[in-house]
Amino acid sequence: MGRASERPPYSARNFSYLQLWRRASDLPGGHWLRTHCTVNGVGILTSDERTFARAVSRLTYANPFLPERIECEREALGSDFVEGGTLWESPDEPERSPNVRKLRERTDAVARQVTGRLANGVRPTSEEAGLYEDLVLFLLFALYEDDFYALIHEGRPASSPAAFYRTFARDLQELLPHGPPEGPHLFAGFFQIRRAFHYIFRNILGASAAIVRLRATVWQSIFTHDMRRYRRSLYQHMGDIATLVSGPSGTGKELVARAIGLARYIPFDPDRQAFAEDFAGSFYPLNLSALSPTLIESELFGHRRGAFTGALQDRAGWFEVCPPLGTVFLDEIGEVDTAIQVKLLRVLQSRTFQRLGDTKDRQFRGKIIAATNRDLAVEIQAGRFRQDFYYRLCSDLIFTPSLTEQLRDHPGERRTLVLSIARRVAGDAEAEPVADETERWIEAHLGTAYPWPGNVRELEQCVRNVMIRGSYAPARAAARDARARLLESVGSGALSAEDLLRRYCTLVYAQTGSYQETGRRLGLDRRTVREKVDATLLAELRG
């Protein structure tokens, strides 16, 4: 299907029945569909069309990653439904799906029949009026899906006018001259749906049951479980709700956060022919475990000149820089000092904060997503995580599955992931050979029972290692080697006191995963531990 700018409006493509529809809808007494309804009567839909329209109506608002979508397609198409291929595995799959293509064609055909009957004076029942509106929404999205997809690749819809809005608005007016919603809101909603579908697929790879559930959960985090309610009003309030992503290291928690952050609702300005903000630059990630408490505060809240050593000028933090429709992602939230937790709690409660060294309250209007690989219930019991802060974070919970969980119900998932990784690290031309070589090496040296403790992140390193060296040293061997080298260095007296402290702090931190607990064991301040931990050695010890 071509871009809207390259094709005539809907009326030109379907002139005869739309001209009749305009004449019928120009009857006096606005909102013709809803005010000229019959409670009982023949109506504008045949029995088969009504069954089809009801299924399409449910499909229009369904979560596309839940079984309900498949059931709606099957009910709508009946014997024409094509079984198989029900788990979409790439963003382009809907374009290749014969069921989606048939639904579009039949929706268009039913719309033609309905407009002809309306032009001949047939009145819809109140139910049919609503069903027809949903049919039109489904049809309009199908007509302009490619155009919205092109905006995603352009990446800057606020500065690049969406010229096809004029054609979109004209088609909406011709198909629904007295409703349903205003064009700009519908246009913005369609763009959000297309972005959500794209980024969920782009960031969450695989076809296992665990991954399909994760996609469905992320969709609900964006639109809630009730898209009708979301369309009516909740789209204005989802930024106030924090999201907490939990799961083992290496399971893609930041990718989940990006999918949500890049798919927020962005209003459309019909006068400027552009969206209010550019979604591509609206995601602000910060790994809290990599920074000292002072730097965390400076990055998030900003600081005034002289607030601490090295603060040579005023600086705005990410809570200040982040636009109202943007997202701040706080990775490793379980590592944060309780003092910073108190300040973050204030942001969540009152949406206000202060720069370091300043007393002026500033407003944060964006969305907060946090992630952790820790069991926060355990951290709360140990006094390392504030309960009140947790209950402000857990309004919306997402759990990312381990690679072992994915492979348990779908062993073929590994090949899917290896091929996807190979495309990214080796390019399309060499992806298949690299994936085949990696799969052969895994089968020969690790087997199907290997637990992949590093999850997808470890699988990616395995692909890279096999591509470069033809083999991969699992984390267990690397960790043993790192510990052996450390013991050898201590035994030979080859380490300075500073090197010994640095390596020992790293060793204990690799076991505890907590600066506070490491400091308690070693009799050191947690800030000292943070400064001494060696990132390279830590990676070897953890594998």
Side-chain angles (χ1 to χ4, degrees):
M1 189 179 295
R3 299 276 311 262
S5 57
E6 301 169 357
R7 64 178 187 261
Y10 200 69
S11 57
R13 285 170 277 143
N14 306 277
F15 179 81
S16 59
Y17 77 89
L18 275 172
Q19 287 294 95
L20 292 171
W21 158 247
R22 280 203 298 272
R23 288 195 210 107
S25 61
D26 284 339
L27 291 171
H31 299 283
W32 188 85
L33 261 182
R34 295 206 179 278
T35 57
H36 291 74
C37 297
T38 59
V39 177
N40 297 305
V42 176
I44 58 172
L45 296 170
T46 66
S47 176
D48 288 345
E49 289 171 346
R50 189 176 294 107
T51 298
F52 173 78
R54 286 170 178 161
V56 171
S57 177
R58 291 196 300 275
L59 181 61
T60 300
Y61 293 94
N63 186 323
F65 305 111
L66 289 177
E68 62 179 307
R69 172 188 67 83
I70 301 167
E71 292 307 314
C72 288
E73 289 182 359
R74 182 180 285 108
E75 182 180 348
L77 295 176
S79 60
D80 288 336
F81 179 80
V82 178
E83 298 287 350
T86 53
L87 296 178
W88 291 339
E89 298 180 14
S90 77
D92 298 324
E93 184 67 20
E95 296 298 325
R96 300 196 300 267
S97 168
N99 292 323
V100 172
R101 185 182 67 253
K102 291 177 180 180
L103 282 166
R104 291 172 177 174
E105 292 171 353
R106 188 168 181 190
T107 299
D108 180 70
V110 172
R112 292 171 185 265
Q113 294 294 328
V114 168
T115 52
R117 293 166 191 154
L118 289 169
N120 289 327
V122 180
R123 295 182 178 182
T125 65
S126 57
E127 181 198 17
E128 289 175 335
L131 292 176
Y132 177 69
E133 287 184 359
D134 290 345
L135 280 175
V136 168
L137 296 186
F138 185 90
L139 181 58
L140 279 174
F141 183 78
L143 287 172
Y144 288 93
E145 185 174 4
D146 289 347
D147 301 285
F148 288 115
Y149 192 57
L151 283 182
I152 295 172
H153 289 286
E154 291 171 6
R156 298 187 61 81
S159 56
S160 303
F164 66 95
Y165 174 74
R166 291 190 178 92
T167 308
F168 173 89
R170 186 162 54 241
D171 286 350
L172 175 62
Q173 174 63 23
E174 289 173 340
L175 285 166
L176 286 172
H178 299 294
E182 70 277 10
H185 175 49
L186 189 62
F187 195 75
F190 281 176
F191 185 42
Q192 183 186 20
I193 289 171
R194 194 62 187 88
R195 273 183 291 125
F197 199 88
H198 172 74
Y199 284 112
I200 287 174
F201 265 119
R202 176 179 173 179
N203 291 342
I204 305 174
L205 302 177
S208 67
I211 288 298
V212 172
R213 287 193 299 269
L214 178 59
R215 289 197 189 113
T217 300
V218 173
W219 184 270
Q220 288 181 340
S221 289
I222 298 170
F223 297 108
T224 79
H225 72 97
D226 187 342
M227 282 196 69
R228 292 182 186 273
R229 183 188 296 155
Y230 178 85
R231 174 187 152 193
R232 290 195 301 267
S233 62
L234 289 187
Y235 69 92
Q236 305 174 81
H237 304 290
M238 293 303 291
D240 298 331
I241 299 175
T243 297
L244 178 61
V245 187
S246 297
S249 294
T251 53
K253 293 186 290 295
E254 181 172 345
L255 294 176
V256 167
R258 283 186 181 274
I260 298 171
L262 293 175
R264 294 194 60 195
Y265 178 91
I266 304 175
F268 182 77
D269 184 344
D271 295 326
R272 291 176 50 241
Q273 298 284 298
F275 289 89
E277 291 181 11
D278 290 321
F279 68 89
S282 62
F283 186 77
Y284 299 82
L286 185 65
N287 189 321
L288 303 177
S289 67
L291 302 173
S292 67
T294 299
L295 284 178
I296 290 175
E297 292 190 69
S298 177
E299 287 292 320
L300 290 177
F301 306 112
H303 61 254
R304 288 191 63 182
R305 177 182 177 183
F308 55 87
T309 302
L312 303 180
Q313 58 186 3
D314 290 355
R315 182 181 185 277
W318 281 7
F319 283 147
E320 192 170 344
V321 172
C322 180
L325 301 176
T327 300
V328 172
F329 174 56
L330 306 177
D331 199 7
E332 304 295 351
I333 194 69
E335 297 281 355
V336 176
D337 275 333
T338 53
I340 297 178
Q341 292 176 30
V342 172
K343 293 187 176 184
L344 291 173
L345 176 60
R346 183 190 178 199
V347 175
L348 292 173
Q349 287 179 327
S350 66
R351 313 292 289 182
T352 62
F353 65 94
Q354 295 175 352
R355 289 183 179 180
L356 282 176
D358 197 0
T359 58
K360 177 183 177 182
D361 281 347
R362 302 173 188 273
Q363 295 289 318
F364 172 64
R365 299 297 186 190
K367 181 180 178 68
I368 290 179
I369 303 178
T372 183
N373 60 7
R374 294 182 176 279
D375 185 337
L376 292 186
V378 172
E379 297 297 302
I380 290 171
Q381 291 178 351
R384 293 187 292 267
F385 204 84
R386 293 178 61 97
Q387 189 175 49
D388 51 359
F389 183 42
Y390 171 77
Y391 283 118
R392 280 290 179 178
L393 282 175
C394 70
S395 304
D396 175 32
L397 289 172
I398 297 176
F399 298 95
T400 54
S402 67
L403 182 54
T404 299
E405 184 180 350
Q406 297 176 47
L407 298 180
R408 186 181 301 124
D409 69 277
H410 197 288
E413 185 88 320
R414 192 184 69 197
R415 167 68 186 185
T416 301
L417 294 172
V418 166
L419 182 58
S420 175
I421 293 168
R423 287 197 181 102
R424 188 167 66 251
V425 303
D428 290 338
E430 294 295 328
E432 290 282 353
V434 169
D436 291 342
E437 183 182 2
T438 303
E439 281 287 286
R440 286 195 300 269
W441 194 95
I442 292 173
E443 287 296 329
H445 297 87
L446 299 179
T448 56
Y450 181 67
W452 297 103
N455 294 293
V456 177
R457 186 179 295 144
E458 181 186 358
L459 182 62
E460 180 171 346
Q461 296 313 313
C462 177
V463 175
R464 293 178 187 272
N465 276 249
V466 171
M467 181 181 70
I468 296 170
R469 302 190 182 280
S471 64
Y472 168 64
R476 295 170 296 182
R480 284 197 301 269
D481 290 345
R483 285 179 170 82
R485 290 197 306 272
L486 177 57
L487 290 174
E488 183 180 347
S489 298
V490 172
S492 65
L495 298 177
S496 67
E498 175 63 25
D499 283 341
L500 178 60
L501 178 60
R502 177 172 56 82
R503 297 191 185 196
Y504 190 48
C505 282
T506 305
L507 176 63
V508 177
Y509 178 73
Q511 297 171 353
T512 66
S514 166
Y515 294 118
Q516 185 170 332
E517 176 61 18
T518 301
R520 187 190 67 79
R521 291 188 184 186
L522 303 184
L524 297 172
D525 183 89
R526 69 186 305 279
R527 289 184 288 270
T528 301
V529 173
R530 188 191 291 268
E531 292 171 0
K532 298 300 181 185
V533 168
D534 185 305
T536 302
L537 177 58
L538 180 63
E540 293 179 7
L541 291 169
R542 285 181 166 177

